[in-house]
Amino acid sequence: MLADVPLAHPWLELATVCLLDNGLAASTTAARVAASARAGLLDALQAGLGALAGPLHGAAGRRAQALLAAVLAGEPAASAVARLGAPGFGHVVYEHDDPRATVLLDALRRDGAASAVLEAVDALRAAVERPANVDLALAGIVLVLDLPATTIDVLFQRSRIVGMTAHVAEEHGEAPLRWRGRAD
């Protein structure tokens, strides 16, 4: 059960800090839009968490975890990428290296227990030829620590709740936006 998972490991704490806020990502934008209509904190966070649940946002880590696990299980990196795609690589904001991934992978490098995961990351990098992003680094941490698969979702969510809360508080301090989409 996830309630029994110790989330106090230094790598998990570092991951939390790396993921606190990422500007106006889909989740923070959704939370701000709800707050602009004066939804309360919990309702605005629920809107943000709904956006975060998408496979192109907070749920991307689970896909990266499956890719990394396949390579760790012995599947050649190119075959795994052909079968599962390249989740955990590239990022819409970071043109080159994702600095969050760099920090987290460097933390893994300092510990010899992560060598198999780092070899799999390197094999995948060579197959994909794009920089790793934070989703792949989180997947590596979860796999090295042998945590339940859903831990990656919880890590992302607990981190982003802090940032979304700040966005909601800031939005509540501004004039109501009354967001309206329009067809042009």
Side-chain angles (χ1 to χ4, degrees), residues 38-175:
R38 294 304 180 251
L41 175 62
L42 294 179
D43 291 325
L45 289 176
Q46 186 175 4
L49 288 170
L52 191 65
L56 299 180
H57 193 16
R62 204 71 86 93
R63 294 174 47 234
Q65 189 174 350
L67 177 65
L68 189 55
V71 174
L72 285 168
E75 184 173 354
S79 170
V81 170
R83 186 171 60 83
L84 299 170
F89 291 90
H91 193 276
V92 69
V93 173
Y94 304 111
E95 189 174 319
H96 301 291
D97 291 340
D98 179 340
R100 303 162 304 165
T102 301
V103 166
L104 295 174
L105 291 172
D106 284 350
L108 289 176
R109 276 189 195 86
R110 289 189 291 272
D111 186 330
S115 61
V117 164
L118 292 169
E119 287 174 18
V121 166
D122 290 342
L124 285 165
R125 278 182 170 159
V128 175
E129 297 180 353
R130 285 189 301 179
N133 67 34
V134 72
D135 299 316
L136 191 70
L138 287 175
I141 289 170
V142 168
L143 289 168
V144 170
L145 296 178
D146 196 28
L147 298 172
T150 54
T151 304
I152 199 163
D153 299 331
V154 172
L155 285 172
F156 213 99
Q157 292 164 359
R158 89 167 178 169
S159 301
R160 286 300 170 89
I161 284 173
V162 175
M164 283 190 288
T165 298
H167 278 275
V168 169
E170 182 179 63
E171 191 64 43
H172 279 165
E174 296 179 8

